[in-house]
Coordinates of all heavy atoms in Angstrom, one line a residue:
M27 N 0.1 19.3 0.9 CA -0.8 18.9 2.0 C -2.0 18.1 1.5 O -2.2 18.1 0.3 CB -1.3 20.2 2.7 CG -0.2 20.9 3.5 SD -0.8 22.0 4.8 CE -1.5 23.3 3.8
A28 N -2.7 17.5 2.4 CA -3.9 16.7 2.0 C -4.8 16.5 3.2 O -4.3 16.7 4.3 CB -3.5 15.4 1.4
H29 N -6.0 16.1 2.9 CA -6.9 15.8 4.1 C -6.7 14.3 4.4 O -6.3 13.5 3.5 CB -8.3 16.2 3.7 CG -8.6 17.6 4.0 ND1 -7.9 18.6 3.2 CD2 -9.3 18.3 4.9 CE1 -8.3 19.8 3.7 NE2 -9.2 19.6 4.7
V30 N -7.1 14.0 5.6 CA -6.8 12.7 6.2 C -8.0 12.1 6.9 O -8.6 12.9 7.7 CB -5.6 12.7 7.2 CG1 -5.3 11.4 7.9 CG2 -4.3 13.3 6.5
V31 N -8.4 10.9 6.7 CA -9.4 10.2 7.4 C -8.8 9.6 8.7 O -7.8 8.9 8.6 CB -10.1 9.1 6.6 CG1 -11.2 8.4 7.4 CG2 -10.8 9.8 5.3
T32 N -9.4 9.8 9.8 CA -8.8 9.3 11.1 C -9.8 8.3 11.8 O -10.8 7.9 11.2 CB -8.5 10.4 12.0 OG1 -9.7 11.1 12.3 CG2 -7.5 11.4 11.4
E33 N -9.4 7.9 12.9 CA -10.0 6.8 13.7 C -11.5 6.8 13.8 O -12.2 5.7 13.7 CB -9.4 6.9 15.2 CG -10.1 6.0 16.2 CD -9.4 4.6 16.2 OE1 -8.2 4.5 15.8 OE2 -10.1 3.7 16.6
P34 N -12.2 7.9 14.0 CA -13.7 7.9 14.1 C -14.4 7.3 12.9 O -15.5 6.8 13.1 CB -14.1 9.3 14.3 CG -12.8 10.0 14.9 CD -11.7 9.3 14.2
C35 N -13.8 7.3 11.8 CA -14.4 6.7 10.6 C -14.6 5.2 10.7 O -15.5 4.6 10.2 CB -13.7 7.1 9.3 SG -14.5 6.5 7.8
I36 N -13.6 4.6 11.4 CA -13.6 3.1 11.5 C -14.9 2.6 12.2 O -15.1 3.0 13.3 CB -12.3 2.6 12.2 CG1 -11.1 3.0 11.4 CG2 -12.4 1.1 12.4 CD1 -9.8 2.7 12.1
G37 N -15.6 1.8 11.5 CA -16.9 1.3 12.1 C -18.1 2.2 11.8 O -19.2 1.8 12.1
C38 N -17.8 3.3 11.2 CA -18.9 4.3 10.9 C -19.1 4.3 9.4 O -20.1 3.9 8.8 CB -18.6 5.7 11.4 SG -19.8 6.9 10.9
R39 N -18.1 4.7 8.7 CA -18.0 4.7 7.2 C -19.3 5.3 6.6 O -19.9 4.7 5.8 CB -17.7 3.3 6.7 CG -17.0 3.2 5.5 CD -16.9 1.9 4.9 NE -18.2 1.3 4.6 CZ -18.4 0.1 4.1 NH1 -17.3 -0.7 3.9 NH2 -19.6 -0.4 3.9
N40 N -19.6 6.5 7.1 CA -20.9 7.2 6.6 C -21.0 7.3 5.1 O -22.0 7.2 4.5 CB -21.0 8.5 7.4 CG -22.2 9.3 7.0 OD1 -22.2 9.9 6.0 ND2 -23.3 9.1 7.8
T41 N -19.9 7.7 4.5 CA -19.7 7.9 3.0 C -20.4 9.2 2.4 O -20.3 9.4 1.2 CB -20.1 6.7 2.2 OG1 -21.5 6.5 2.2 CG2 -19.4 5.4 2.7
A42 N -21.0 10.0 3.3 CA -21.5 11.3 2.7 C -20.4 12.1 2.1 O -20.6 12.8 1.1 CB -22.2 12.1 3.8
C43 N -19.2 12.0 2.6 CA -18.0 12.7 2.1 C -17.7 12.4 0.6 O -17.3 13.3 -0.2 CB -16.8 12.4 2.9 SG -16.5 10.6 3.1
V44 N -18.0 11.2 0.3 CA -17.7 10.7 -1.1 C -18.4 11.5 -2.1 O -17.9 11.8 -3.2 CB -18.0 9.2 -1.2 CG1 -17.9 8.7 -2.6 CG2 -17.1 8.4 -0.3
E45 N -19.7 11.8 -1.8 CA -20.5 12.5 -2.8 C -20.1 13.9 -3.1 O -20.4 14.5 -4.2 CB -22.0 12.5 -2.4 CG -22.6 11.1 -2.5 CD -24.1 11.1 -2.4 OE1 -24.6 12.1 -1.7 OE2 -24.7 10.3 -3.0
V46 N -19.4 14.6 -2.2 CA -19.1 16.0 -2.4 C -17.6 16.2 -2.9 O -17.3 17.3 -3.2 CB -19.3 16.8 -1.1 CG1 -20.8 16.8 -0.7 CG2 -18.4 16.3 0.0
C47 N -16.9 15.1 -2.9 CA -15.5 15.2 -3.3 C -15.4 15.4 -4.8 O -15.8 14.6 -5.6 CB -14.7 14.0 -2.9 SG -12.9 14.1 -3.3
P48 N -14.7 16.6 -5.2 CA -14.6 16.8 -6.6 C -13.4 16.1 -7.3 O -13.2 16.2 -8.5 CB -14.4 18.3 -6.7 CG -13.7 18.6 -5.4 CD -14.2 17.6 -4.4
A49 N -12.6 15.4 -6.5 CA -11.4 14.9 -7.0 C -11.2 13.4 -6.9 O -10.1 12.9 -7.1 CB -10.2 15.6 -6.2
E50 N -12.3 12.7 -6.6 CA -12.3 11.3 -6.5 C -11.1 10.7 -5.7 O -10.3 9.9 -6.1 CB -12.2 10.7 -8.0 CG -13.5 11.1 -8.8 CD -13.5 10.6 -10.2 OE1 -12.4 10.0 -10.7 OE2 -14.5 10.7 -10.9
C51 N -11.1 11.2 -4.5 CA -10.0 10.9 -3.5 C -10.3 9.7 -2.7 O -9.3 9.1 -2.1 CB -9.8 12.0 -2.6 SG -9.3 13.5 -3.3
F52 N -11.5 9.3 -2.5 CA -11.9 8.3 -1.5 C -11.7 6.8 -1.9 O -12.2 6.4 -3.0 CB -13.3 8.5 -0.9 CG -13.3 9.7 0.0 CD1 -13.6 11.0 -0.6 CD2 -13.1 9.6 1.3 CE1 -13.7 12.1 0.3 CE2 -13.1 10.8 2.1 CZ -13.4 12.0 1.6
H53 N -11.1 6.1 -1.0 CA -11.0 4.6 -1.2 C -11.6 4.0 0.0 O -11.8 4.6 1.0 CB -9.5 4.2 -1.3 CG -8.8 4.8 -2.5 ND1 -8.4 4.0 -3.5 CD2 -8.5 6.1 -2.8 CE1 -7.8 4.8 -4.5 NE2 -7.9 6.0 -4.1
I54 N -12.0 2.7 -0.2 CA -12.9 2.0 0.8 C -12.3 0.7 1.2 O -11.9 -0.1 0.3 CB -14.3 2.0 0.3 CG1 -15.3 1.5 1.4 CG2 -14.4 1.2 -1.0 CD1 -16.7 1.7 1.1
D55 N -12.5 0.3 2.5 CA -12.3 -1.1 2.9 C -13.6 -1.5 3.7 O -14.5 -0.7 3.7 CB -11.0 -1.4 3.6 CG -10.8 -0.7 4.9 OD1 -11.9 -0.2 5.5 OD2 -9.7 -0.6 5.4
E56 N -13.5 -2.6 4.4 CA -14.7 -3.1 5.1 C -15.1 -2.2 6.3 O -16.3 -2.2 6.7 CB -14.5 -4.5 5.5 CG -14.5 -5.5 4.3 CD -14.3 -6.9 4.7 OE1 -14.3 -7.2 6.0 OE2 -14.2 -7.7 3.8
Q57 N -14.2 -1.4 6.8 CA -14.5 -0.7 8.0 C -14.4 0.9 7.9 O -14.9 1.6 8.7 CB -13.5 -1.1 9.1 CG -13.8 -2.5 9.6 CD -15.1 -2.6 10.3 OE1 -15.5 -1.8 11.1 NE2 -15.8 -3.7 10.0
S58 N -13.7 1.4 6.9 CA -13.4 2.8 6.8 C -13.2 3.3 5.4 O -13.2 2.5 4.5 CB -12.1 3.0 7.6 OG -11.8 4.4 7.8
L59 N -13.1 4.6 5.3 CA -12.7 5.3 4.1 C -11.3 5.8 4.2 O -10.8 6.0 5.4 CB -13.6 6.4 3.7 CG -15.1 6.0 3.5 CD1 -15.9 7.3 3.2 CD2 -15.2 5.1 2.3
W60 N -10.6 6.1 3.1 CA -9.3 6.6 3.1 C -9.1 7.6 2.0 O -9.7 7.4 0.9 CB -8.3 5.4 2.9 CG -8.5 4.3 3.9 CD1 -9.3 3.2 3.7 CD2 -8.0 4.3 5.3 NE1 -9.3 2.4 4.9 CE2 -8.5 3.1 5.9 CE3 -7.2 5.1 6.1 CZ2 -8.3 2.7 7.2 CZ3 -7.0 4.7 7.4 CH2 -7.5 3.5 7.9
I61 N -8.3 8.6 2.2 CA -8.1 9.7 1.2 C -6.8 9.5 0.6 O -5.8 9.4 1.3 CB -8.3 11.1 1.8 CG1 -9.7 11.3 2.3 CG2 -7.8 12.2 0.9 CD1 -9.9 12.6 3.1
D62 N -6.8 9.6 -0.8 CA -5.5 9.5 -1.5 C -4.8 10.9 -1.4 O -5.4 11.9 -2.0 CB -5.7 9.1 -2.9 CG -4.5 9.0 -3.7 OD1 -3.4 9.4 -3.3 OD2 -4.5 8.4 -4.8
P63 N -3.7 11.1 -0.8 CA -3.1 12.4 -0.6 C -2.6 12.9 -2.0 O -2.4 14.1 -2.1 CB -1.9 12.2 0.4 CG -1.6 10.7 0.2 CD -2.9 10.0 -0.1
E64 N -2.4 12.0 -2.9 CA -1.9 12.5 -4.2 C -3.0 13.2 -5.0 O -2.8 13.9 -5.9 CB -1.4 11.3 -5.1 CG -0.2 10.6 -4.5 CD 1.0 11.5 -4.5 OE1 1.2 12.2 -5.5 OE2 1.8 11.5 -3.5
E65 N -4.3 12.8 -4.7 CA -5.4 13.4 -5.4 C -6.1 14.5 -4.7 O -6.8 15.4 -5.4 CB -6.5 12.3 -5.7 CG -5.9 11.1 -6.5 CD -5.5 11.5 -7.9 OE1 -6.1 12.5 -8.4 OE2 -4.6 10.9 -8.5
C66 N -6.0 14.6 -3.4 CA -6.8 15.6 -2.6 C -6.3 17.0 -3.0 O -5.1 17.3 -3.0 CB -6.5 15.3 -1.1 SG -7.4 16.5 -0.1
I67 N -7.2 17.9 -3.2 CA -6.9 19.3 -3.6 C -7.2 20.2 -2.4 O -7.3 21.4 -2.6 CB -7.7 19.7 -4.8 CG1 -9.2 19.6 -4.7 CG2 -7.2 18.9 -6.1 CD1 -10.0 20.1 -5.8
D68 N -7.5 19.7 -1.2 CA -7.7 20.5 0.0 C -8.9 21.4 -0.2 O -8.8 22.6 0.4 CB -6.4 21.2 0.4 CG -5.4 20.3 0.9 OD1 -5.7 19.2 1.5 OD2 -4.2 20.6 0.8
C69 N -9.9 21.0 -0.8 CA -11.1 21.9 -1.0 C -11.9 22.0 0.3 O -12.7 22.9 0.4 CB -12.0 21.4 -2.2 SG -12.9 19.9 -1.8
K70 N -11.8 21.0 1.2 CA -12.5 21.0 2.5 C -14.0 20.6 2.4 O -14.7 20.7 3.3 CB -12.4 22.3 3.2 CG -10.9 22.7 3.5 CD -10.9 23.8 4.5 CE -9.4 24.3 4.6 NZ -8.5 23.3 4.9
A71 N -14.5 20.3 1.2 CA -15.9 20.0 1.0 C -16.3 18.8 1.9 O -17.5 18.7 2.4 CB -16.2 19.7 -0.4
C72 N -15.4 17.8 2.1 CA -15.8 16.6 2.8 C -15.9 16.8 4.3 O -16.6 16.1 5.0 CB -14.8 15.5 2.5 SG -13.1 16.0 2.9
V73 N -15.2 17.8 4.8 CA -15.1 18.0 6.3 C -16.4 18.1 7.0 O -16.7 17.4 7.9 CB -14.1 19.1 6.6 CG1 -14.0 19.4 8.1 CG2 -12.7 18.8 6.1
P74 N -17.3 19.1 6.6 CA -18.6 19.2 7.3 C -19.5 18.1 7.0 O -20.5 18.0 7.7 CB -19.1 20.6 6.7 CG -18.4 20.7 5.4 CD -17.1 20.1 5.5
E75 N -19.3 17.3 6.0 CA -20.2 16.1 5.7 C -20.0 15.0 6.7 O -20.9 14.1 6.8 CB -19.9 15.6 4.3 CG -20.2 16.6 3.2 CD -21.7 17.1 3.2 OE1 -22.6 16.3 3.5 OE2 -21.9 18.3 3.0
C76 N -18.8 14.9 7.4 CA -18.5 13.8 8.2 C -19.2 14.0 9.6 O -18.9 14.9 10.3 CB -17.0 13.7 8.4 SG -16.6 12.3 9.5
P77 N -20.1 13.0 9.9 CA -20.9 13.2 11.2 C -20.1 12.9 12.4 O -20.5 13.1 13.5 CB -22.1 12.2 11.0 CG -21.5 11.1 10.1 CD -20.6 11.9 9.2
V78 N -18.9 12.3 12.2 CA -18.1 11.9 13.4 C -16.8 12.7 13.4 O -15.9 12.3 14.2 CB -17.8 10.4 13.4 CG1 -19.1 9.6 13.7 CG2 -17.2 9.9 12.2
D79 N -16.7 13.8 12.6 CA -15.5 14.6 12.6 C -14.2 13.8 12.5 O -13.2 14.0 13.2 CB -15.4 15.5 13.9 CG -16.6 16.4 14.0 OD1 -17.1 16.9 13.0 OD2 -17.0 16.7 15.2
A80 N -14.2 13.0 11.5 CA -13.0 12.1 11.3 C -12.0 12.7 10.3 O -10.9 12.2 10.2 CB -13.5 10.8 10.7
I81 N -12.3 13.8 9.6 CA -11.4 14.3 8.5 C -10.8 15.6 8.9 O -11.4 16.6 9.3 CB -12.2 14.5 7.2 CG1 -13.0 13.2 6.8 CG2 -11.3 14.9 6.1 CD1 -13.9 13.3 5.7
F82 N -9.4 15.6 8.8 CA -8.6 16.7 9.1 C -7.6 17.0 8.0 O -7.2 16.1 7.3 CB -7.8 16.4 10.4 CG -8.6 16.2 11.6 CD1 -9.1 14.9 11.9 CD2 -9.0 17.2 12.5 CE1 -9.8 14.6 13.1 CE2 -9.7 17.0 13.6 CZ -10.2 15.7 13.9
L83 N -7.2 18.3 7.9 CA -6.0 18.6 7.1 C -4.8 18.0 7.8 O -4.8 17.9 9.0 CB -5.9 20.1 7.1 CG -4.7 20.7 6.2 CD1 -4.9 20.3 4.7 CD2 -4.7 22.2 6.3
D84 N -3.9 17.5 7.0 CA -2.8 16.7 7.6 C -2.1 17.4 8.7 O -1.7 16.8 9.8 CB -1.8 16.2 6.5 CG -1.3 17.2 5.6 OD1 -1.5 18.4 5.8 OD2 -0.7 16.8 4.6
V85 N -1.9 18.7 8.6 CA -1.1 19.4 9.7 C -2.0 19.7 10.9 O -1.5 20.1 11.9 CB -0.6 20.8 9.1 CG1 0.5 20.6 8.1 CG2 -1.7 21.7 8.6
D86 N -3.3 19.4 10.8 CA -4.2 19.6 11.9 C -4.6 18.3 12.6 O -5.5 18.3 13.5 CB -5.4 20.4 11.5 CG -5.1 21.8 11.1 OD1 -4.1 22.3 11.6 OD2 -5.8 22.3 10.2
V87 N -4.1 17.1 12.1 CA -4.5 15.8 12.7 C -4.1 15.8 14.1 O -3.0 16.1 14.5 CB -3.9 14.7 11.9 CG1 -4.1 13.4 12.6 CG2 -4.4 14.6 10.5
P88 N -5.0 15.5 15.1 CA -4.7 15.3 16.5 C -3.5 14.4 16.7 O -3.4 13.4 15.9 CB -6.0 14.8 17.1 CG -7.1 15.3 16.2 CD -6.5 15.2 14.8
E89 N -2.7 14.7 17.6 CA -1.4 13.9 17.8 C -1.7 12.4 17.9 O -0.9 11.6 17.4 CB -0.7 14.4 19.0 CG 0.8 14.0 19.0 CD 1.6 14.7 20.0 OE1 1.3 15.8 20.4 OE2 2.6 14.1 20.4
K90 N -2.7 12.0 18.6 CA -3.0 10.6 18.8 C -3.3 9.9 17.5 O -3.3 8.6 17.5 CB -4.1 10.4 19.8 CG -5.5 11.0 19.4 CD -6.5 10.9 20.4 CE -7.8 11.7 20.0 NZ -8.8 11.7 21.1
W91 N -3.6 10.6 16.5 CA -4.0 10.0 15.2 C -3.0 10.3 14.1 O -3.3 10.1 12.9 CB -5.4 10.4 14.8 CG -6.5 9.9 15.7 CD1 -6.5 8.8 16.4 CD2 -7.7 10.6 16.0 NE1 -7.6 8.7 17.2 CE2 -8.4 9.8 16.9 CE3 -8.3 11.8 15.5 CZ2 -9.7 10.1 17.4 CZ3 -9.5 12.1 16.0 CH2 -10.2 11.3 16.9
T92 N -1.8 10.8 14.4 CA -0.9 11.2 13.3 C -0.5 10.1 12.4 O -0.1 10.2 11.3 CB 0.3 12.0 13.8 OG1 0.9 11.2 14.8 CG2 -0.1 13.4 14.3
H93 N -0.5 8.8 13.0 CA -0.1 7.7 12.2 C -1.1 7.4 11.0 O -0.8 6.7 10.1 CB 0.0 6.4 13.1 CG -1.2 6.1 13.8 ND1 -1.7 6.8 14.9 CD2 -2.1 5.1 13.7 CE1 -2.8 6.3 15.4 NE2 -3.1 5.2 14.7
F94 N -2.3 8.1 11.1 CA -3.3 7.9 10.1 C -2.8 8.6 8.8 O -3.4 8.4 7.7 CB -4.7 8.5 10.5 CG -5.5 7.4 11.2 CD1 -5.2 7.2 12.6 CD2 -6.4 6.6 10.6 CE1 -5.9 6.3 13.3 CE2 -7.1 5.7 11.3 CZ -6.9 5.5 12.6
I95 N -1.9 9.6 8.9 CA -1.4 10.3 7.7 C -0.8 9.2 6.7 O -1.1 9.2 5.5 CB -0.5 11.4 8.0 CG1 -1.2 12.5 8.9 CG2 0.2 12.0 6.8 CD1 -0.3 13.5 9.5
K96 N 0.1 8.4 7.3 CA 0.7 7.4 6.5 C -0.2 6.3 6.1 O -0.2 5.8 5.0 CB 1.9 6.8 7.3 CG 2.8 5.8 6.5 CD 3.6 6.5 5.5 CE 4.5 5.5 4.8 NZ 5.0 6.1 3.5
L97 N -1.1 6.0 7.0 CA -2.1 4.9 6.7 C -3.0 5.3 5.5 O -3.3 4.4 4.7 CB -3.0 4.7 8.0 CG -2.8 3.6 8.9 CD1 -3.9 3.6 10.0 CD2 -2.8 2.2 8.1
N98 N -3.4 6.5 5.4 CA -4.3 7.0 4.3 C -3.5 6.8 3.0 O -4.1 6.3 2.0 CB -4.7 8.4 4.5 CG -6.0 8.6 5.3 OD1 -7.1 8.9 4.8 ND2 -5.9 8.3 6.6
E99 N -2.2 7.1 3.0 CA -1.4 7.0 1.8 C -1.3 5.5 1.4 O -1.6 5.2 0.2 CB 0.0 7.5 2.1 CG 0.9 7.7 1.0 CD 2.3 8.2 1.4 OE1 2.4 8.9 2.4 OE2 3.2 7.7 0.8
E100 N -1.1 4.7 2.4 CA -0.9 3.2 2.1 C -2.2 2.6 1.7 O -2.3 1.8 0.7 CB -0.3 2.5 3.3 CG 1.1 2.9 3.6 CD 1.6 2.4 5.0 OE1 0.8 1.8 5.7 OE2 2.8 2.6 5.2
K101 N -3.3 2.9 2.4 CA -4.6 2.3 2.1 C -5.1 2.7 0.8 O -5.7 1.9 0.0 CB -5.6 2.6 3.2 CG -5.2 2.1 4.6 CD -5.6 0.6 4.7 CE -5.4 0.1 6.2 NZ -5.8 -1.2 6.4
A102 N -5.0 4.0 0.5 CA -5.5 4.5 -0.8 C -4.8 3.8 -2.0 O -5.4 3.6 -3.0 CB -5.3 6.0 -0.8
E103 N -3.6 3.5 -1.8 CA -2.8 2.9 -2.9 C -3.3 1.5 -3.1 O -3.3 1.0 -4.2 CB -1.3 2.9 -2.5 CG -0.4 2.8 -3.7 CD 1.0 3.0 -3.3 OE1 1.4 4.0 -2.7 OE2 1.8 2.0 -3.5
A104 N -3.7 0.8 -2.0 CA -4.0 -0.6 -2.1 C -5.5 -0.9 -2.3 O -5.9 -2.0 -2.7 CB -3.6 -1.3 -0.8
L105 N -6.4 0.0 -2.1 CA -7.8 -0.3 -2.0 C -8.6 0.4 -3.2 O -8.1 1.4 -3.8 CB -8.4 0.2 -0.7 CG -7.9 -0.5 0.5 CD1 -8.2 0.3 1.8 CD2 -8.6 -1.9 0.6
P106 N -9.8 -0.1 -3.5 CA -10.6 0.5 -4.6 C -11.1 1.8 -4.3 O -11.4 2.2 -3.1 CB -11.7 -0.6 -4.8 CG -11.8 -1.3 -3.5 CD -10.4 -1.3 -2.9
L107 N -11.4 2.6 -5.3 CA -12.0 3.9 -5.2 C -13.5 3.7 -4.9 O -14.1 2.7 -5.2 CB -11.9 4.6 -6.5 CG -10.6 5.4 -6.8 CD1 -10.5 5.6 -8.3 CD2 -10.5 6.7 -6.0
I108 N -14.1 4.7 -4.2 CA -15.6 4.7 -4.0 C -16.1 6.1 -4.6 O -15.5 7.1 -4.2 CB -16.0 4.5 -2.6 CG1 -17.5 4.7 -2.4 CG2 -15.2 5.3 -1.6 CD1 -18.0 4.4 -1.0
F109 N -17.1 6.0 -5.4 CA -17.6 7.3 -6.0 C -19.0 7.6 -5.5 O -19.5 8.7 -5.6 CB -17.7 7.1 -7.5 CG -16.4 6.8 -8.1 CD1 -16.1 5.5 -8.6 CD2 -15.4 7.7 -8.2 CE1 -14.9 5.2 -9.2 CE2 -14.2 7.4 -8.8 CZ -13.9 6.1 -9.3
E110 N -19.7 6.6 -5.0 CA -21.1 6.8 -4.6 C -21.3 6.5 -3.1 O -20.7 5.6 -2.6 CB -22.1 6.0 -5.4 CG -22.1 6.4 -6.9 CD -23.0 5.5 -7.7 OE1 -23.5 4.5 -7.2 OE2 -23.2 5.9 -8.9
R111 N -22.3 7.1 -2.5 CA -22.6 6.9 -1.2 C -23.2 5.5 -0.9 O -23.9 4.9 -1.8 CB -23.7 7.9 -0.7 CG -23.9 8.0 0.8 CD -24.7 9.2 1.2 NE -24.7 9.2 2.6 CZ -25.2 10.2 3.3 NH1 -25.8 11.2 2.7 NH2 -25.2 10.2 4.6
K112 N -22.8 4.9 0.2 CA -23.3 3.6 0.6 C -24.0 3.7 1.9 O -23.8 4.7 2.6 CB -22.1 2.6 0.8 CG -21.4 2.2 -0.5 CD -20.1 1.5 -0.2 CE -20.4 0.0 0.0 NZ -20.2 -0.8 -1.2
E113 N -24.6 2.6 2.3 CA -25.3 2.5 3.6 C -24.2 2.6 4.7 O -23.2 1.8 4.6 CB -26.0 1.2 3.7 CG -27.0 1.1 4.9 CD -28.2 2.0 4.8 OE1 -28.5 2.4 3.7 OE2 -28.7 2.4 5.8
P114 N -24.3 3.5 5.7 CA -23.3 3.6 6.7 C -23.3 2.3 7.6 O -24.3 1.6 7.6 CB -23.7 4.8 7.6 CG -24.7 5.5 6.8 CD -25.3 4.6 5.8
L115 N -22.1 2.0 8.2 CA -22.0 0.9 9.1 C -22.8 1.1 10.4 O -23.3 0.1 11.0 CB -20.6 0.5 9.3 CG -19.7 0.1 8.1 CD1 -18.3 -0.1 8.5 CD2 -20.3 -1.1 7.5
S116 N -22.8 2.3 10.8 CA -23.5 2.6 12.1 C -24.2 3.9 12.1 O -23.8 4.8 11.2 CB -22.6 2.5 13.3 OG -21.6 3.5 13.2
Ligands
SF4_219 FE1 -11.9 15.5 -1.7 FE2 -11.8 18.1 -1.0 FE3 -12.0 16.3 0.9 FE4 -9.7 16.4 -0.5 S1 -10.6 18.0 0.9 S2 -10.8 14.5 0.1 S3 -10.5 17.0 -2.5 S4 -13.6 16.7 -0.7

């Protein structure tokens, strides 16, 4: 299992989650963050940090966003890691 970033992150990209992650899971693009499922240890530290409730355990992802499970895997593989907080988009 792993945690998954979903739709509400797009255009927000708060990045508070990045600072609490002990496993360096987060990758970034211009609009959103993505979690590498190979690295996530399901500690849940990032979940309460997200102001838009975008992060779910994969088995708990709302049905309308289940395609984000695969998207996180693909995006994390292709995009750079982020280790420090950045200015949110909104
Ligand atoms: Fe990182 Fe823990 Fe969130 Fe996984 S659940 S992305 S290990 S903070």
Side-chain angles (χ1 to χ4, degrees):
M27 293 204 287
H29 279 65
V30 176
V31 178
T32 61
E33 173 88 23
C35 185
I36 297 174
C38 174
R39 212 187 61 180
N40 179 278
T41 71
C43 51
V44 170
E45 286 197 330
V46 299
C47 179
E50 299 179 350
C51 296
F52 285 92
H53 295 249
I54 186 168
D55 65 16
E56 288 181 4
Q57 291 295 314
S58 189
L59 297 178
W60 307 94
I61 291 171
D62 183 346
E64 295 294 320
E65 299 297 331
C66 179
I67 57 172
D68 289 332
C69 73
K70 302 190 187 308
C72 57
V73 175
E75 297 300 321
C76 180
V78 292
D79 297 328
I81 305 173
F82 298 87
L83 182 62
D84 51 10
V85 295
D86 295 330
V87 172
E89 197 169 336
K90 61 185 173 183
W91 294 330
T92 51
H93 57 291
F94 276 82
I95 297 170
K96 186 71 179 165
L97 258 183
N98 275 252
E99 189 182 328
E100 292 171 353
K101 296 279 190 178
E103 204 174 298
L105 292 164
L107 281 160
I108 171 173
F109 303 107
E110 292 179 351
R111 193 166 186 175
K112 290 172 82 94
E113 192 69 24
L115 296 177
S116 63

